[in-house]
Amino acid sequence: MALFAALALLGAVFNSYLVSLLTIVFIFAFIGQSWSLMLGLGGQLSIGHALFVGIGAYSVAVLDIKYGLSPWLGLLVGSVIAGAVGAALAWLSFRFEVRGIYFGLLTIAAAEFARVMFGGWDFVGGMQGLFFPAQSGESSLLMLRGGARFYYFVALAAVAVGVGVTALIRKSFLGYVWRAMRDDEDASRALGVRTFLHKVLVVSISGAWAAIGGGLLALVQGSIFPDSIMGMGISVDVLIGPIVGGLGTAFGPLLGALIIIPLDHLTSSFSDTIGLPGLNNVAYGIVLIGVVWLLPDGVWPALVGHFEAKKEVRSIRSRIVQTQEVGQ
């Protein structure tokens, strides 16, 4: 609560560049929380999460641009459609024992199929994309339209809710069931866990969650194209944050996004300055290798473990001093 209160206060004084950058950080952290929920807690690998992001983005854009309906309705419709698509994809996959890396490859195929389909679908703009009308007048929470600072607070509220929901799920019965299924599916099934149902459920919830983030991303960008909102690049951007920050944790995706996305922007600017395009991808690779090598559980679990170890050392020292005082 203190962290999000501080970010809210700083949002009022940050310059426009930091506001825009952190807005993207918060949105990708929010989407990353859905991916972390699916793999970090449920143990189901998705490498094509752009499918759900794109469904949410197009739902908001079509209902807003073509019918003038509130983006709130678009977020709801997009999450329902993405949840249904995720459930159908998971049901078909797990029904025929397609799991693990093969399920991950199937999600890539589904995302690519959707990208090609939307690229040739004139109703949703095809390859020309869709453009939101320019913002005029004051910010409107009802229509979710406003300036950069308005979207900063919307994205901040979304990621704060995401952290809270993730923390609640981790401590709930559902969270324990999903972690048991993740660690040993066969043993969980032997103990009575309906693993098929729970795998479908976690994929569906993750897809619906990612679609909400996709809708917010579309509003912030002001336009969407099949290649940019459903391309492989989006799927990679979604999964890098949780991997770096810590899978299955409440704050890991946010911390990872705070590390990765500013690093990407800085290295991209630096590479343009010195004439070495692609330096940001090199930085991505170095960070990922370093995290996997040195912090395999992610940065957030390492920080938590460090402070808990220091707390334990202080506690032991305190008990030793008390014992010495009693002896004297």
Side-chain angles (χ1 to χ4, degrees):
M1 290 177 65
L3 170 65
F4 290 115
L7 287 172
L9 291 174
L10 291 172
V13 297
F14 279 149
N15 59 36
S16 58
Y17 173 77
L18 282 177
V19 165
S20 299
L21 178 61
L22 287 176
T23 300
I24 298 298
V25 167
F26 296 151
I27 290 177
F28 273 98
F30 179 77
I31 302 172
Q33 287 165 338
S34 72
W35 188 83
S36 177
L37 182 78
M38 184 171 167
L39 179 61
L41 292 183
Q44 308 308 311
L45 174 64
S46 168
I47 320 177
H49 234 54
L51 167 67
F52 307 120
V53 174
I55 289 174
Y58 273 101
S59 297
V60 169
V62 169
L63 292 179
D64 184 2
I65 297 170
K66 292 186 174 291
Y67 301 104
L69 298 176
S70 170
W72 288 107
L73 180 60
L75 293 175
L76 176 61
V77 171
S79 64
V80 171
I81 295 174
V85 169
L89 185 65
W91 188 90
L92 288 172
S93 302
F94 303 140
R95 174 68 178 77
F96 296 100
E97 295 296 326
V98 178
R99 52 184 177 178
I101 187 62
Y102 301 103
F103 176 69
L105 293 175
L106 186 62
T107 61
I108 295 179
E112 283 299 293
F113 173 80
R115 181 184 66 81
V116 173
M117 183 185 72
F118 276 72
W121 191 2
D122 292 336
F123 178 72
V124 296
M127 294 303 295
Q128 287 71 40
L130 291 173
F131 296 84
F132 288 90
Q135 171 65 22
S136 59
E138 297 181 354
S139 300
S140 171
L141 186 60
L142 178 63
M143 294 300 295
L144 270 181
R145 299 305 305 274
R149 211 169 295 275
F150 170 81
Y151 285 124
Y152 173 92
F153 290 108
V154 170
L156 179 61
V159 77
V161 171
V163 168
V165 170
T166 303
L168 288 174
I169 291 177
R170 280 179 56 85
K171 296 180 179 180
S172 69
F173 173 77
L174 192 63
Y176 284 106
V177 169
W178 285 353
R179 288 200 292 275
M181 179 178 67
R182 174 201 65 191
D183 294 339
D184 195 326
E185 182 178 339
D186 293 331
S188 300
R189 188 183 302 112
L191 291 172
V193 175
R194 301 172 65 183
T195 55
F196 181 87
L197 173 64
H198 282 285
K199 288 193 294 184
V200 173
L201 181 62
V202 73
V203 174
S204 178
I205 292 175
S206 177
W209 186 327
I212 295 174
L216 294 177
L217 182 62
L219 289 168
V220 170
Q221 291 180 342
S223 61
I224 56 172
F225 304 89
D227 289 343
S228 64
I229 203 68
M230 282 185 168
M232 191 63 194
I234 290 290
S235 295
V236 173
D237 290 340
V238 167
L239 62 87
I240 285 183
I243 290 175
V244 171
L247 277 172
T249 62
F251 278 98
L254 175 57
L255 180 59
L258 283 169
I259 295 171
I260 288 296
I261 294 179
L263 175 66
D264 181 38
H265 279 250
L266 289 173
T267 52
S268 295
S269 299
F270 181 68
S271 64
D272 292 340
T273 302
I274 64 176
L276 286 176
L279 191 62
N280 58 321
N281 295 325
V282 176
Y284 262 12
I286 292 173
V287 169
L288 283 176
I289 292 171
V291 169
V292 171
W293 188 10
L294 301 174
L295 303 171
D297 293 328
V299 177
W300 178 255
L303 288 175
V304 172
H306 173 72
F307 286 110
E308 286 182 348
K310 291 183 67 175
K311 182 179 178 180
E312 182 65 23
V313 169
R314 287 196 299 268
S315 177
I316 292 173
R317 288 176 177 173
S318 176
R319 289 198 296 268
I320 290 173
V321 171
Q322 291 175 358
T323 303
Q324 290 175 343
E325 291 177 349
V326 170
Q328 293 174 355

